[in-house]
Amino acid sequence: MVRLLGRSWAQSTRLHNALHAQRGRDSSRRAREQGARQTPRRPLDQQGRHEGGPEKGPAKRLWSALSGRSVAGQVFVFQVVIVLLLVVAAVGALVLQVRHDSTQEARNRSLAVAETFANAPGTREALSSPDPTAVLQPRAEAARKQSEVDFIVVMNTDGIRYTHPKPDRIGKEFVGNLGPALAGRQVTEEITGTIGPLVQAVVPIKAPDGSVVGLVSAGITTANVGGVSDRQLPLLLAAAAAALTLATAGTALVSRRLLRQTRGLGPYEMTRMYEHHDAVLHAVREGVIIISGDGRLLLVNDEAHRLLDLPEDAEGRQVLGLGLDPDTADLLASGRVATDEVHLVGDRLLAINQRPTDLRGGPPGSVATLRDSTELRALSGRAEVAREHLKLLYDAGVGIGTTLDVTRTAEELAEVAVPRLADFVTVDLADAVLHGEEPEAVTQLRRTAFSGIRKDAPLYPVGERIGFVASSPQARSLSSGQAVIEPALAEAPGWLAQDPERTVQVVDFGIHSLITVPLRAGHLMMGVVNFWRSEKPEPFDEEELALAEELVARAAVSIDNARRYTREHTMAVTLQRSLLPRNLPEQGALDIAYRYLPAQAGVGGDWFDVLPLSGARVAVVVGDVVGHGLHAAATMGRLRTAVHNFSALDLPPDELLGLLDELVGRIDQDEAAEDSGAAITGATCLYAIYDPVSRQCTVARAGHPPPAVVRPDGSVEFPDVPAGPPLGLGGLPFETAELKVEEGSRLVLYTDGLVEDRERDIDVGLELLRTALTGADRSPEDTCRTVLDALLPARPSDDIALIVAGTRALGADSIADWEVPSDPAAVGEVRASVTRQLAEWGLDEMAFATELILSELVTNAIRYGSGPILVRVLRDRSLICEVFDSSSTSPHLRYAATTDEGGRGLFLVAQLAERWGTRYTPAGKVIWAEQPLP
C-alpha cells in the first residue's frame, strides 16, 4: 500500500513539474514577443561586459540608486514602497496558500490512503473472517505509520470500527458522514472526531458484485495540517525582512545579478534554451497534454497529436469538442485520477495516466500522458495463447489415461482437445491395438473416438473401418511418421481423393483445415489423430501443429500403456476362462444356474465348480484367491484341480478343506523359498455336498461368506455355518454344518465381490442380497438375473461368482434297499430281490450285470466286513448299487494269479460297472458301483 501511495505522489510531482515547464514555455513565448519590441542589446565582451560604454563602480551605482534627491532616488523610494507592499501581500497570500495546500494535500492523502487500503489484497476477505480486528489492526497501523496519516479505520456498514490507533476506540461507532460511502461513493470532510479536529476521507469496500461490504476511513488531524504553515511563518517573516533589506541594493544590482546568474546568456540564447526544451517535449514517444480546469486544452505535444488524431488548432479548444470518442473525452475533461487506464482510440489501445495539477497548490487542471499499448497488448495476447496451450497440456496430462482402457483413453484425448485446439477431433486406431496387440502394418484403421462441438459432422462414424488412400494426409502421416497440416481442405486434392462424396459434405459442412498427427510409441505405429477446424476462419498454423504433436505424444504413452494392459488382461482372462468349468456336468440332484463376471480393473482368483459324487450326490464349491493378475488366476487353477482330486476320494467337506489348507501352505512355502513375494495366503473356499436321497446338505467354509438358502415359500436365511480360517494359515480344524433342505429350495453360493466393495460394507451387501433373493416360484436363472440387477456395481473392482442351485429329491419309487444278514446264503436272496426290482423299473436287460456286481460286493462285505450289511439300489441318471457295512477296510483291485482261488471279484465289478469306489461314513464304509442306463 505504501508503494502505491509513493507511486501516486511521484506521478503527481512529475506532472506538477510538467505544468511548471508549461509555465516556463509561456514565459519564453512572452519573452520572445517582448524581445521583438525591445531595442537589441549590445553584445557582450569576453568578460560579460557590454561593449561601447564606460563601466561605473559598484559603490557609485549603489549610491546613485539610493539617492532620493534624484529621479532615480524617487524611483528607488517608490520601488521600495511597492516591494514592501508586495512582500506583505506575498507573505499573507503564501500563508493562506500554504494552509490551503496543506489542507488539500491532507484531503488527497487521506483519500489516497483510504482507497489504497480498501482495495488492498486481503482487506475484503478479512471482513468475513471470524475476527476482522485481529487481521486488519496490524495492517492498518503499519500502513498508517508508513503513509504518515493519523489514523486508518476499517469499519462495517453499520459504522462499527474494526481498527483504530487507540485500541479502546475499536468496536465503537465511527464519527463522520457514512451515507455517500454506503451508496458506493467517496467522501472527504473536515470534522471534529475522537482524536480532535481532523480531515478525513471515507471510501467503500466493494464486493465483486458491486455491493458495499465495509468502509475504510483515513485522516490527518488539523493540528498536523496547520503545523506546516505555523512552522513556515517565522521563515516567511524572516524572508520578508531579508527581501526588504535587499530591496535597497537589488535595484542597482539587478542587471549585474541577472547577467551573472544567466552566465552571460542574452535573450537570444535564452530563447534557444526554451526552444530546445520544447523540442524535447515534442520529440518524446509519449503523449503529453495539459488541460485547464475549465476543460480547455492548454498544451499538447506531437505524440499526443498523433495518438489522438487531433486537429492543428486543438490548443485552446474544449476537450469535449475535439471529436474524441466519448469515453476518452470524458476522462480527459473530468480531470480525475487514472492509472494505466486503457482506451480504444481508433485502432490503437492507449494507456492513459492522468493527475490533477492542483494537488500542491497549482492552478486547476490536469496533466495526462498517453502511451500506445497496442503492441504490448499483442504481446500479451500471444503470452495468453501460450498460457492456454500450457494449460491444455497440463489438463491432458491429468485427464488422459485415467483408465487402462484403450477406447476410453482415445476418447479422453478427443475430449480434452475440443474446443480449445480444434472444433472436431477423431482418433483412428488399428484393430490390433484395440485387442492389445502390436500391429505389424497399419493399412486399415478403425475410428475409435470422436468429439466435437456438434454431433452431426459428416465425418466417418465411430466403429467404421477406414482404408486411407496413399495421397491422403493420414496415409502420408503414417508412412512418414510426421504430422501433416492441410490449411485448406477444399484445395487439397490428396484429401479430396479419399472419399469424394464424403469429403464434399465435410467441406460444405464448414470444416476447412486439418492437422493429422501419427499416434506412435517408440517404433510402434498405432494410428492417427485428426484435428478439424470449422468455427475459426483462419487455418491451423505451425504453432498449433507443434501443440497437436505434443498433445498426441503425451496421449500415445497412455494409449500404449492401455494397450499393454489390455494384452495382459486378455491373457489373464483367457487363462482364467480356461481354468473355469466350461460346461456343468450332468447330474439330477441340483438345477444349477451360475454367473461369473471378471473385475473391470484386473483378473482375480474367484472360481467355482460342480462335482458329481457317488450315491447321486453333488458337491458345489466356490472359492476366492485374494489378489489379481496372472498369479491369482494360476493359483485358482491349482486349487480347482486339487478340489477335483480330493473330491474323487469322497471326503467330507471338513476333511477336504483340511487337505486344501495344507496344499496352500506348501504353495506359500515354495513361493517364500523362491523369494518371489507372491504368497497366496488369504484364499477362501466353501464346499457343500447335497444328497438328494436324504435331502441333507453338508457345508464347510474356510473364511468364505456364508451360503444363503431360499425356502420354497420364498423366505431367505443365512445358515450358521462355522467360519473357519482362510486357507493357508494352518493349525486350526474346520467344522461342518448339516442343513436339512426341502425339495424346491434354492442354495445360493457367491464370492465377496457380490456383497462387498469399497463403497458398501458386507453387512449392507448381505441385506441387499436377502432382499433380492426373497420371493417364491423363481427359477435359478431368474434368481441369478435378479441378484445381479440389484447388487452388481457399475465397475466391479473384484471378480464375482454366483451359483444358484435348485434342490431336487430322489423319490421313494427310485430307491430300493435291503438288510442282508452276514450269511453267504443270503447272497442268492439279494440277487432275486434286485432282479424283481429291476423288472419293476423296466430294466430287465441290466439284471445279469447287476446280479454279478451285487453278488461280489455283498460277498466281500460278508467275508471281510462286519454287520449290519445294507444293500441300496438307486435309479437316477445311472443305476447305482451300494453296499454298506461297518468295516473301515477298503478293498483294492488287483490282478489274480492263475493259481489264486479268489481276487477276481473286484476286477469283474470294474469291468461291468462304469465307475466304482469306496466312501467312508461315520458308521463304516460304502462300496458302490454305477452302470449307465440303457
Side-chain angles (χ1 to χ4, degrees):
M1 179 174 67
V2 174
R3 290 199 298 270
L4 291 175
L5 289 174
R7 179 183 178 189
S8 175
W9 295 335
Q11 289 177 338
S12 298
T13 303
R14 178 170 61 84
L15 297 179
H16 194 63
N17 292 336
L19 180 60
H20 284 295
Q22 169 63 15
R23 292 175 179 173
R25 183 172 178 270
D26 294 341
S27 300
S28 175
R29 185 180 299 109
R30 290 194 298 270
R32 289 198 301 272
E33 294 173 354
Q34 293 175 359
R37 296 192 297 267
Q38 294 175 351
T39 303
R41 296 179 57 190
R42 291 175 295 171
L44 301 176
D45 60 13
Q46 292 181 355
Q47 286 76 30
R49 295 174 299 180
H50 293 284
E51 298 179 358
E55 290 291 336
K56 296 183 178 180
K60 291 182 178 180
R61 292 197 300 273
L62 181 61
W63 173 253
S64 177
L66 294 176
S67 177
R69 290 172 294 177
S70 63
V71 175
Q74 294 176 358
V75 173
F76 173 76
V77 173
F78 180 74
Q79 187 175 0
V80 168
V81 174
I82 293 177
V83 169
L84 180 60
L85 294 176
L86 291 176
V87 167
V88 172
V91 169
L94 189 56
V95 169
L96 295 177
Q97 183 66 34
V98 167
R99 290 187 175 180
H100 174 269
D101 291 348
S102 299
T103 302
Q104 186 63 32
E105 181 181 2
R107 294 169 70 91
N108 293 337
R109 186 187 301 178
S110 300
L111 181 60
V113 170
E115 285 183 334
T116 304
F117 195 89
N119 297 319
T123 300
R124 176 170 52 83
E125 290 77 2
L127 292 176
S128 60
S129 65
D131 188 359
T133 297
V135 178
L136 295 174
Q137 177 71 4
R139 299 183 184 176
E141 286 303 292
R144 179 184 66 81
K145 295 176 182 178
Q146 295 182 13
S147 58
E148 299 181 355
V149 297
D150 290 329
F151 69 89
I152 297 177
V153 174
V154 183
M155 67 202 86
N156 60 15
T157 55
D158 296 327
I160 303 304
R161 300 186 186 100
Y162 290 139
T163 67
H164 198 278
K166 296 181 178 180
D168 60 335
R169 308 295 171 85
I170 296 176
K172 298 181 180 179
E173 187 173 358
F174 178 76
V175 178
N177 183 14
L178 302 181
L182 292 176
R185 302 190 302 275
Q186 304 166 349
V187 60
T188 306
E189 58 185 350
E190 298 182 23
I191 66 167
T192 299
T194 58
I195 58 176
L198 50 86
V199 176
Q200 68 180 12
V202 182
V203 299
I205 302 174
K206 296 183 178 181
D209 59 354
S211 61
V212 177
V213 298
L215 306 173
V216 175
S217 176
I220 303 175
T221 60
T222 303
N224 291 336
V225 173
V228 176
S229 60
D230 294 341
R231 290 191 299 271
Q232 291 181 350
L233 184 58
L235 180 61
L236 293 176
L237 294 176
L244 188 60
T245 303
L246 294 176
T248 56
T251 303
L253 299 176
V254 62
S255 297
R256 186 177 185 84
R257 183 178 298 275
L258 178 61
L259 191 64
R260 183 169 58 250
Q261 289 181 349
T262 58
R263 300 181 182 273
L265 294 175
Y268 176 72
E269 289 82 2
M270 294 292 293
T271 302
R272 287 190 58 189
M273 181 181 68
Y274 283 108
E275 288 176 347
H276 289 164
H277 290 172
D278 288 344
V280 172
L281 178 64
H282 289 280
V284 295
R285 297 292 295 172
E286 185 170 356
V288 178
I289 60 175
I290 300 178
I291 303 169
S292 66
D294 57 357
R296 288 184 302 107
L297 187 61
L298 299 179
L299 172 68
V300 55
N301 69 347
D302 295 343
E303 182 69 6
H305 260 290
R306 184 183 70 86
L307 295 177
L308 296 176
D309 194 18
L310 297 175
E312 293 296 332
D313 60 344
E315 292 188 6
R317 294 173 56 182
Q318 290 290 329
V319 174
L320 296 177
L322 295 177
L324 300 175
D325 66 279
D327 290 341
T328 305
D330 291 343
L331 170 63
L332 298 177
S334 67
R336 64 178 174 85
V337 175
T339 302
D340 289 335
E341 190 169 309
V342 178
H343 286 254
L344 179 62
V345 179
D347 58 349
R348 296 186 179 94
L349 289 172
L350 301 184
I352 302 178
N353 290 275
Q354 181 168 270
R355 294 294 183 274
T357 57
D358 56 354
L359 291 177
R360 298 184 179 181
S366 61
V367 176
T369 60
L370 314 173
R371 185 174 65 255
D372 190 352
S373 63
T374 306
E375 295 182 357
L376 295 177
R377 181 56 60 93
L379 291 175
S380 176
R382 288 196 291 270
E384 181 66 18
V385 171
R387 189 189 69 82
E388 289 295 331
H389 288 178
L390 290 176
K391 182 64 166 56
L392 173 60
L393 293 177
Y394 172 79
D395 292 342
V398 174
I400 298 177
T402 59
T403 67
L404 290 173
D405 181 79
V406 174
T407 300
R408 180 56 193 155
T409 305
E411 292 173 350
E412 291 171 345
L413 167 59
E415 291 169 358
V416 78
V418 175
R420 290 189 284 181
L421 178 57
D423 297 320
F424 302 93
V425 175
T426 57
V427 182
D428 305 326
L429 299 177
D431 284 336
V433 175
L434 297 173
H435 299 146
E437 304 296 332
E438 295 186 2
E440 297 181 357
V442 181
T443 55
Q444 285 192 331
L445 302 178
R446 187 178 298 278
R447 180 133 299 172
T448 307
F450 166 84
S451 181
I453 58 177
R454 294 172 57 183
K455 300 299 183 182
D456 57 344
L459 300 170
Y460 287 115
V462 174
E464 183 166 339
R465 288 177 60 88
I466 309 171
F468 293 105
V469 299
S471 62
S472 66
Q474 290 84 355
R476 288 186 281 132
S477 178
L478 290 172
S479 61
S480 65
Q482 302 295 324
V484 176
I485 183 171
E486 287 289 357
L489 291 177
E491 302 173 2
W495 178 76
L496 293 172
Q498 170 65 34
D499 186 345
E501 181 179 354
R502 185 179 293 274
T503 52
V504 169
Q505 294 176 356
V506 171
V507 173
D508 293 341
F509 184 77
I511 298 177
H512 59 83
S513 187
L514 166 67
I515 292 178
T516 295
V517 184
L519 190 63
R520 63 178 182 177
H523 69 281
L524 182 63
M525 189 71 67
M526 299 181 290
V528 293
V529 182
N530 305 299
F531 300 87
W532 312 83
R533 171 167 288 176
S534 64
E535 292 295 318
K536 295 182 180 179
E538 63 273 9
F540 286 114
D541 55 25
E542 294 296 328
E543 184 177 351
E544 290 168 322
L545 175 64
L547 176 62
E549 289 180 313
E550 177 67 20
L551 181 63
V552 173
R554 296 189 179 195
V557 176
S558 298
I559 291 179
D560 187 52
N561 289 339
R563 179 194 63 82
R564 294 171 183 269
Y565 172 79
T566 300
R567 180 184 61 187
E568 299 298 330
H569 182 74
T570 302
M571 292 174 56
V573 169
T574 302
L575 173 62
Q576 187 184 45
R577 294 289 187 186
S578 66
L579 296 176
L580 290 172
R582 300 185 180 182
N583 296 299
L584 296 181
E586 293 184 359
Q587 46 80 33
L590 298 173
D591 179 14
I592 293 179
Y594 68 93
R595 295 288 188 276
Y596 182 83
L597 301 175
Q600 294 285 341
V603 175
D606 290 13
W607 56 283
F608 68 94
D609 216 334
V610 178
L611 307 170
L613 302 178
S614 62
R617 298 171 305 137
V618 177
V620 182
V621 59
V622 63
D624 183 8
V625 177
V626 177
H628 295 84
L630 289 174
H631 181 76
T635 302
M636 175 268 290
R638 298 171 72 176
L639 295 181
R640 179 170 176 259
T641 301
V643 170
H644 267 268
N645 294 332
F646 293 151
S647 65
L649 301 176
D650 256 332
L651 297 176
D654 55 340
E655 294 184 21
L656 185 142
L657 291 181
L659 295 176
L660 205 60
D661 180 64
E662 294 179 7
L663 173 63
V664 173
R666 288 196 299 269
I667 293 176
D668 282 345
Q669 292 176 3
D670 295 341
E671 297 290 350
E674 295 179 4
D675 195 21
S676 65
I680 61 170
T681 300
T684 65
C685 184
L686 186 147
Y687 190 84
I689 298 177
Y690 174 69
D691 188 349
V693 177
S694 62
R695 298 190 299 280
Q696 189 114 356
C697 184
T698 306
V699 184
R701 61 187 179 115
H704 203 82
V709 177
V710 184
R711 302 297 181 185
D713 60 359
S715 61
V716 180
E717 67 171 325
F718 293 94
D720 185 14
V721 179
L727 300 176
L729 297 182
L732 295 175
F734 296 96
E735 300 181 60
T736 61
E738 300 287 342
L739 309 178
K740 192 68 174 179
V741 182
E742 303 175 45
E743 184 178 7
S745 299
R746 283 166 284 164
L747 184 65
V748 181
L749 283 66
Y750 52 91
T751 56
D752 58 355
L754 180 67
V755 295
E756 183 180 17
D757 59 20
R758 298 174 182 174
E759 301 178 357
R760 183 174 61 200
D761 189 71
I762 188 170
D763 293 333
V764 177
L766 290 175
E767 285 303 316
L768 292 176
L769 179 60
R770 180 193 300 273
T771 302
L773 291 175
T774 301
D777 300 330
R778 286 184 188 170
S779 67
E781 191 68 29
D782 293 339
T783 303
C784 286
R785 188 180 305 109
T786 302
V787 168
L788 292 183
D789 290 343
L791 279 81
L792 182 65
R795 292 184 60 84
S797 59
D798 194 7
D799 292 4
I800 295 176
L802 172 65
I803 302 176
V804 179
T807 59
R808 298 170 181 166
L810 196 63
D813 57 346
S814 298
I815 304 172
D817 53 13
W818 306 275
E819 289 188 10
V820 180
S822 297
D823 183 2
V827 175
E829 182 59 30
V830 170
R831 287 199 299 266
S833 299
V834 167
T835 301
R836 290 192 299 270
Q837 186 62 55
L838 292 178
E840 293 180 6
W841 289 342
L843 300 175
D844 298 286
E845 62 272 24
M846 300 182 65
F848 177 73
T850 305
E851 288 180 5
L852 290 178
I853 290 173
L854 283 178
S855 296
E856 295 298 329
L857 296 181
V858 172
T859 300
N860 280 337
I862 294 173
R863 179 178 298 178
Y864 304 107
S866 59
I869 299 173
L870 176 65
V871 174
R872 187 172 70 174
V873 179
L874 306 176
R875 183 187 62 176
D876 192 29
R877 291 181 176 270
S878 60
L879 185 65
I880 304 171
C881 298
E882 297 177 328
V883 178
F884 297 79
D885 65 58
S886 58
S887 171
S888 60
T889 303
S890 176
H892 296 281
L893 181 66
R894 64 185 180 87
Y895 287 98
T898 56
T899 58
D900 291 342
E901 295 182 0
R904 298 176 179 83
L906 287 181
F907 182 79
L908 180 63
V909 170
Q911 296 300 314
L912 296 175
E914 185 177 43
R915 294 193 311 154
W916 74 278
T918 304
R919 72 172 182 271
Y920 294 92
T921 66
K925 68 175 183 298
V926 179
I927 303 177
W928 54 271
E930 291 186 8
Q931 302 175 74
L933 295 177

